[in-house]
Amino acid sequence: MKHLQQLLALCVFMLSFGMAASSLAADSPAAESKLPERDKACTLCHNESWPTPVLSIYQTKMGVIGDSRTPGCRDCHGPSENHLKSPVNQVDIYFGAVKPGPLQSDTWPKTPSSAEARNGACLACHRGKARTNWDGSQHQVNQVACTNCHNIHSPQQNVLNRKTQTEVCFACHKEQRAESLKFSTHPIQVGKVVCSDCHNPHGSAGPKLVKKNTVNETCYTCHAEKRGPFLFEHQSVTEDCRNCHTPHGSNISPLLISRPPFMCQQCHDGPHQSPNPAGPSAAGNQGGFIGNANQNFTGRACLNCHSQIHGSNSPSGGYFQR
Ligand code: HEC
Ligand code: HEC
Ligand code: HEC
Ligand code: HEC
Ligand code: HEC
Ligand code: HEC
Ligand code: HEC
Ligand code: HEC
Ligand code: HEC
Ligand code: HEC
């Protein structure tokens, strides 16, 4: 019974497509002739009257009529001979539905083709460049498809728009959404910094899909002053910014993994009383020692004195003081 209904609905649909096609030809021959010839086998039915937008692809960079590199329907969906014989047969490469199809049935939505097949269709033209490291990348290995991020029939590609990109990523990365709402963050929520400023979602030679080969190189693209060169370098800084910072958000400002002095004590003994008489004349100076244990905990803790924590150029000495 279900099947019969489906067939009936199909007949009605085919009829209305025929009518739409002929009325289109009569009303606006110009619009019809703008469609590339090679797509006609498909746009006969998938025209303006199709319930989900299909021809909108001609308003995108991938639908520039007259550009010979522009993909046709079958470059992405495959030759689909069986579908052309009867629409109840699925196309060769099916990317999944945005909305339920016009013929709601037990078989809809149909099973999308494998991620490999879907990605293969795109990579036929888009291998290399930013996608050199796609194979073996965290997204590729976890069956994430190009079309999980790129809604290519739409002129509004959310993932390419800095105002909307993060929503695309947050759909799967809830933890980073939560982090971006913490007290100290990169200005991600206000859209000043977006995920793709630091990550290449297509694959990377560095860890965690960072854009450059290392985390530090990625950070230096915006925080160049932290690269130095410094007369006195702090080894933990040149090693990895992650020794002290977390990128998306933290409740300890500025983006710190934990609070000084504890953060510093992961690697250093302390609190300490410095025996250096040439040190700052801090309160609590007693018996040749400057500072007292208390200063390690109050105010800016270790940073009360070691204020140039990323490295210093002061000719008077190291220790990351002024
Ligand atoms: C004779 C009309 C007709 C032609 C020609 C046609 N389609 Fe379809 N197409 C349909 C109908 C009807 C459906 C809905 C089928 C359903 O809901 O089960 C459909 C569904 C689809 C779907 C959704 C997934 C699927 O496989 O059901 C895609 C993608 C698609 N067509 C692409 C194409 C492409 C690409 C071409 C050209 C190679 C093409 N169609 C040619 C009528 C047609
Ligand atoms: C660049 C690759 C590409 C090209 C070219 C392309 N499509 Fe698609 N098509 C897709 C993807 C990917 C989807 C899945 C929805 C999405 O991501 O926008 C899709 C979805 C569809 C659907 C199903 C929509 C739905 O809501 O279920 C139809 C029908 C369709 N395409 C027909 C066509 C027709 C007809 C053409 C030629 C005019 C065409 N496509 C050209 C990639 C392509
Ligand atoms: C037949 C070749 C071909 C295929 C197949 C193809 N593309 Fe494209 N794509 C292009 C061309 C050509 C452009 C325009 C490039 C330009 O303007 O420099 C483009 C542009 C794009 C852009 C940039 C759009 C923009 O607005 O800047 C994205 C994203 C994209 N393609 C993704 C995809 C995805 C995802 C698929 C698979 C579903 C795919 N492409 C399949 C040829 C192709
Ligand atoms: C996890 C999400 C995601 C996936 C998966 C993804 N992309 Fe992208 N893509 C993006 C983002 C974000 C940008 C914008 C990058 C930027 O502005 O630096 C982009 C940009 C592009 C562009 C235009 C700029 C360029 O690099 O030429 C193309 C083409 C493209 N992607 C193709 C693909 C193809 C092909 C695949 C599958 C092999 C794919 N993308 C998979 C998120 C994704
Ligand atoms: C369809 C779901 C999906 C979308 C959308 C998505 N991702 Fe992912 N992403 C995954 C999966 C699955 C993994 C691998 C498992 C994991 O590490 O969580 C992953 C891994 C990653 C990793 C590497 C994690 C690691 O441990 O090495 C980064 C970075 C990343 N995604 C960033 C992004 C960015 C940026 C976007 C948006 C442009 C995005 N993702 C969109 C599903 C998605
Ligand atoms: C300021 C640079 C920067 C921005 C912006 C950024 N990330 Fe990251 N992301 C990183 C770094 C660095 C790491 C590695 C962190 C680590 O190893 O602890 C990372 C790690 C990740 C991971 C893996 C997390 C894990 O625990 O392994 C995911 C997923 C991720 N980012 C997604 C996103 C998403 C989604 C966005 C946008 C909302 C985003 N990132 C924005 C720099 C950034
Ligand atoms: C795309 C540029 C960009 C990249 C790449 C970048 N940042 Fe930032 N960073 C910013 C901006 C913008 C701010 C906010 C500055 C402001 O509000 O004045 C910021 C602020 C910060 C802050 C201070 C946060 C606060 O609460 O005041 C820290 C710490 C920081 N970034 C560390 C990093 C680290 C570590 C990396 C590498 C993982 C990195 N940044 C990569 C742009 C960037
Ligand atoms: C040894 C721990 C440590 C490491 C490693 C570290 N930072 Fe910091 N960073 C801090 C502390 C502590 C502050 C707060 C300084 C203050 O309050 O004066 C800070 C502040 C910042 C700020 C905001 C204030 C400012 O000075 O602009 C940025 C941006 C920043 N760090 C970037 C980086 C980058 C990029 C790296 C990697 C190259 C890095 N940090 C490595 C400890 C560290
Ligand atoms: C991930 C480990 C690590 C963390 C966290 C760290 N440091 Fe360091 N720090 C080092 C290393 C390694 C050296 C260089 C080795 C040495 O000379 O003892 C160094 C050197 C120093 C020096 C100079 C020592 C000298 O002899 O010149 C001072 C001062 C210093 N760190 C202060 C701090 C403060 C303050 C913090 C917290 C804001 C901190 N460090 C966090 C690893 C770390
Ligand atoms: C009251 C100022 C002051 C405070 C607070 C302070 N330091 Fe120092 N620190 C100094 C001075 C001055 C020196 C130089 C000592 C010398 O000449 O031996 C020094 C030297 C160091 C050195 C290198 C010599 C050594 O002992 O290995 C390290 C590492 C260090 N401090 C870490 C820390 C850490 C970690 C904290 C927080 C727990 C901290 N300091 C708090 C003033 C201070």
Side-chain angles (χ1 to χ4, degrees):
M1 187 59 202
K2 258 258 155 81
H3 197 62
L4 204 69
Q5 275 176 352
Q6 195 192 343
L7 273 178
L8 206 70
L10 183 62
C11 291
V12 173
F13 248 89
M14 304 287 277
L15 259 173
S16 66
F17 285 133
M19 274 155 61
S22 56
S23 67
L24 185 83
D27 294 349
S28 52
E32 178 72 354
S33 63
K34 264 202 295 194
L35 303 179
E37 282 303 309
R38 58 170 183 211
D39 286 350
K40 270 202 168 147
C42 311
T43 53
L44 177 70
C45 298
H46 298 288
N47 53 33
E48 282 88 348
S49 59
W50 190 255
T52 55
V54 172
L55 299 187
S56 50
I57 197 167
Y58 293 124
Q59 294 159 35
T60 72
K61 277 201 187 153
M62 245 189 304
V64 182
I65 296 165
D67 183 340
S68 59
R69 303 171 306 157
T70 290
C73 316
R74 283 177 283 186
D75 285 320
C76 289
H77 292 288
S80 306
E81 298 297 344
N82 288 333
H83 182 69
L84 284 173
K85 282 192 197 119
S86 165
V88 285
N89 298 323
Q90 208 163 317
V91 286
D92 294 345
I93 299 178
Y94 178 45
F95 295 91
V98 196
K99 293 182 191 147
L103 304 182
Q104 285 286 0
S105 74
D106 295 343
T107 58
W108 189 274
K110 297 170 182 179
T111 319
S113 309
S114 70
E116 206 185 347
R118 283 178 282 152
N119 293 341
C122 312
L123 288 167
C125 296
H126 291 294
R127 207 173 270 287
K129 287 203 211 148
R131 282 154 299 281
T132 308
N133 294 309
W134 172 257
D135 288 321
S137 73
Q138 288 88 325
H139 282 135
Q140 185 267 331
V141 167
N142 285 281
Q143 316 287 306
V144 177
C146 316
T147 50
N148 281 122
C149 293
H150 295 288
N151 50 331
I152 63 95
H153 271 273
S154 165
Q156 309 299 332
Q157 272 216 33
N158 287 349
V159 83
L160 298 182
N161 181 336
R162 290 179 67 89
K163 291 206 181 83
T164 48
Q165 180 193 99
T166 47
E167 287 313 311
V168 176
C169 311
F170 284 155
C172 296
H173 294 294
K174 309 276 186 223
E175 207 178 296
Q176 282 67 34
R177 181 203 292 274
E179 284 172 350
S180 75
L181 291 167
K182 287 186 172 172
F183 173 67
S184 168
T185 64
H186 266 103
I188 292 171
Q189 286 289 339
V190 297
K192 258 170 91 182
V193 173
V194 299
C195 317
S196 64
D197 285 335
C198 293
H199 294 291
N200 182 348
H202 305 124
S204 149
K208 308 282 182 186
L209 292 176
V210 292
K211 235 174 157 173
K212 304 283 180 178
N213 289 346
T214 64
V215 169
N216 278 31
E217 284 303 322
T218 306
C219 308
Y220 294 149
T221 57
C222 297
H223 300 291
E225 78 286 356
K226 299 288 183 284
R227 185 202 287 273
F230 297 110
L231 209 50
F232 303 99
E233 286 189 331
H234 194 176
Q235 193 181 315
S236 66
V237 176
T238 53
E239 235 169 54
D240 199 324
C241 311
R242 287 177 296 180
N243 279 330
C244 301
H245 293 292
T246 180
H248 310 115
S250 161
N251 286 329
I252 303 160
S253 182
L255 285 168
L256 294 179
I257 56 169
S258 66
R259 202 175 291 282
F262 312 108
M263 186 180 80
C264 312
Q265 287 165 343
Q266 286 172 69
C267 303
H268 297 291
D269 292 340
H272 76 98
Q273 286 173 286
S274 170
N276 187 353
S281 57
N285 196 347
Q286 16 167 291
F289 286 76
I290 59 109
N292 61 26
N294 205 25
Q295 280 176 299
N296 290 275
F297 293 100
T298 53
R300 291 154 43 78
C302 316
L303 295 153
N304 283 329
C305 304
H306 303 289
S307 60
Q308 303 298 100
I309 199 62
H310 301 101
S312 65
N313 288 316
S314 160
S316 64
Y319 308 117
F320 318 130
Q321 304 172 68
R322 292 276 154 210

